């Protein structure tokens, strides 16, 4: 399993994302240009030029027509995937932390930072009319001053609710129509770094600085499983082939600031595979020279990609050993 190394960023990766078919891989980093790659051979298709700050979050529409990026330059941009043209450039009051297309691709939910006297907000806009003068959100709710700022955002089933992950470890489910809280999950004790849905959209996995990843039932926001490691988890993903291979993959490592005090040999920066049900670790994959910041499965479940603090994206394809491995129970 020799990975493809994608070298296209000057600074650490913040998020990577496959499109629905898995032929394209989008990557964003702390430099100003998100890139798009062919996932099959690691060829770079191009980059989306226009931001002037760190790209915190990206997403791509289900039909791979539009690409979304939220940045620290206080804008969210919608791009044409094919041509790289910026379709719309929406200015916010503070930097944009999380962006997410709805399942139908007609709406976008995004969260903004708490800074300069502005509170963290969760907004939803309609993509079909981004050019109305100030992109008035269809739904706008303030993440109340008592809550920590929202870092990541996901749509729930049928686009009826939106789920946000917060700096204090809370997971909050909001009603999309009224903007009120439906459920709050407070199992995590520290900041939530990443949230990803399962393939069927019924579960989500959160990765937190408190060294655990948790699996949640979206309907009730009940914490079903907990995957414990010994260092902060920056990203976690559930395989799409959850019936045959119930696995989750997690990436992390200690804070980028502390990395110099230890060495990569201790195996701090491995991608770790856990059994979804039994919560047991069964495999590790080495590779990165710094913490893994974002990790995701290929939509066909036959490989995964990870992006690290070292600025590389590594695309792995599983060998036969992965499929032959059976858990004893």
């Amino acid at each position: 399993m020799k990975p493809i190394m994608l070298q296209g960023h000057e600074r650490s990766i913040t998020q990577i994302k496959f499109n629905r078919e898995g032929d394209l891989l989008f990557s964003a980093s702390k430099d100003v240009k998100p890139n798009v790659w062919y996932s099959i051979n690691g060829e770079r298709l191009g980059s989306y030029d226009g931001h002037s700050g760190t790209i915190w979050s990206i997403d791509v529409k289900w039909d791979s027509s539009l690409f979304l990026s939220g940045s620290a330059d206080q804008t969210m941009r919608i791009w044409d995937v094919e041509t790289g043209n910026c379709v719309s450039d929406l200015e916010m009051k503070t930097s944009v932390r999380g962006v997410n297309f709805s399942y139908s691709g007609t709406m976008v939910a995004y969260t903004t930072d708490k800074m300069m006297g502005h509170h963290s907000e969760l907004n939803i806009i309609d993509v079909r009319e981004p050019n109305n003068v100030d992109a008035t959100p269809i739904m706008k709710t303030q993440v109340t001053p008592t809550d920590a700022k929202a870092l990541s955002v996901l749509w729930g089933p049928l686009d009826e609710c939106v789920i946000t992950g917060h700096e204090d470890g809370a997971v909050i489910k909001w009603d999309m129509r009224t903007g009120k809280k439906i459920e709050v999950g407070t199992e995590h004790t520290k900041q939530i770094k990443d949230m990803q849905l399962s393939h069927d959209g019924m579960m989500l996995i959160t990765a937190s600085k408190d060294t655990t990843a948790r699996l949640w039932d979206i309907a009730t926001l009940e914490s079903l499983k907990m995957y414990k490691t010994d260092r902060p988890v920056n990203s976690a993903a559930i395989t799409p082939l959850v019936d045959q291979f119930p696995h989750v993959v997690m990436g992390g490592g200690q804070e980028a600031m502390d990395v110099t005090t230890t060495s990569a040999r201790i195996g701090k920066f491995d991608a770790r595979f856990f059994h979804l049900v039994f919560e047991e670790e069964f495999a590790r994959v080495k590779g990165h020279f710094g913490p893994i910041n974002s990790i995701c499965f290929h939509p066909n479940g036959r490989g995964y990609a990870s992006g690290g603090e070292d600025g590389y994206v590594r695309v792995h394809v599983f060998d036969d050993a992965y499929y032959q491995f059976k858990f004893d129970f």
Side-chain angles (χ1 to χ4, degrees), residues 23-63:
D23 59 333
L24 299 179
L25 174 62
F26 294 84
S27 62
S29 78
K30 290 187 180 171
D31 59 31
V32 296
K33 293 182 189 173
N35 288 338
V36 56
W37 315 76
Y38 283 118
S39 62
I40 186 89
N41 58 1
E43 182 188 343
R44 180 159 77 160
L45 264 168
S47 52
Y48 298 92
D49 208 356
H51 278 295
S52 57
T54 292
I55 315 290
W56 286 124
S57 180
I58 53 174
D59 197 16
V60 57
K61 193 174 159 181
W62 64 272
D63 60 359

Side-chain angles (χ1 to χ4, degrees), residues 22-304:
D23 59 333
L24 299 179
L25 174 62
F26 294 84
S27 62
S29 78
K30 290 187 180 171
D31 59 31
V32 296
K33 293 182 189 173
N35 288 338
V36 56
W37 315 76
Y38 283 118
S39 62
I40 186 89
N41 58 1
E43 182 188 343
R44 180 159 77 160
L45 264 168
S47 52
Y48 298 92
D49 208 356
H51 278 295
S52 57
T54 292
I55 315 290
W56 286 124
S57 180
I58 53 174
D59 197 16
V60 57
K61 193 174 159 181
W62 64 272
D63 60 359
S64 305
S65 61
L66 297 176
F67 170 67
L68 189 60
S69 58
S71 163
D73 63 9
Q74 306 184 7
T75 63
M76 178 170 77
R77 287 176 185 248
I78 301 175
W79 311 82
D80 184 326
V81 168
E82 205 174 336
T83 61
N85 296 333
C86 183
V87 182
S88 67
D89 174 7
L90 310 171
E91 296 205 8
M92 314 297 168
K93 295 194 177 65
T94 60
S95 56
V96 182
R97 266 294 168 167
V99 295
N100 198 245
F101 269 109
S102 66
Y103 182 79
S104 54
T106 55
M107 293 177 291
V108 166
Y110 63 90
T111 60
T112 59
D113 249 351
K114 178 179 178 176
M115 60 192 232
M116 301 187 300
H118 297 288
H119 287 298
S120 177
E121 284 179 350
L122 164 66
N123 295 337
I124 297 176
I125 59 167
D126 195 316
V127 189
R128 290 165 292 190
E129 40 180 42
N131 300 331
N132 59 8
V133 190
D134 45 2
T136 325
I138 1 183
M139 195 282 280
K140 183 171 184 155
T141 180
Q142 209 172 52
V143 177
T144 47
T146 49
D147 291 325
K149 71 181 180 197
L151 296 172
S152 42
V153 59
L154 289 175
W155 286 85
L158 300 174
D159 295 348
E160 282 171 355
C161 60
V162 178
I163 296 147
T164 51
H166 295 256
E167 203 170 31
D168 59 354
V171 181
I172 302 181
K173 184 164 135 189
W174 307 82
D175 187 320
M176 186 237 132
R177 293 175 183 79
T178 61
K180 293 193 167 47
K181 289 184 199 174
I182 311 175
E183 317 265 354
V184 180
T186 51
E187 307 287 332
H188 283 299
T189 52
K190 288 192 182 146
Q191 163 180 358
I192 289 179
K193 303 283 274 185
D194 179 44
M195 304 198 304
Q196 294 193 32
L197 288 175
S198 63
H199 184 63
D200 60 3
M202 287 295 135
M203 297 185 294
L204 79 107
I205 190 165
T206 53
S208 166
K209 249 181 170 165
D210 65 8
T211 72
T212 63
R214 282 178 185 271
L215 188 72
W216 306 76
D217 177 10
I218 289 188
T220 57
L221 218 56
E222 173 191 1
S223 172
L224 305 171
K225 299 285 174 191
M226 194 223 347
Y227 310 99
K228 181 93 183 84
T229 67
D230 49 359
R231 55 190 71 95
V233 185
N234 291 341
S235 191
I238 308 170
T239 172
L241 304 175
V242 84
D243 305 329
Q244 304 146 281
F245 308 104
H247 301 157
V248 299
V249 61
M250 291 158 48
Q254 76 259 70
E255 289 282 317
M257 336 187 259
D258 314 331
V259 167
T260 48
T261 57
T262 57
S263 76
R265 277 179 327 199
I266 310 173
K268 293 285 195 236
F269 309 132
D270 304 358
R272 309 165 70 134
F273 286 82
F274 280 75
H275 193 282
L276 182 96
V277 183
F278 302 128
E279 310 176 359
E280 280 196 33
E281 185 179 349
F282 65 88
R284 290 190 182 191
V285 180
K286 290 192 175 56
H288 283 283
F289 290 102
I292 294 174
N293 288 342
S294 185
I295 201 161
C296 57
F297 270 99
H298 190 285
N300 66 11
R302 305 199 169 275
Y304 78 99

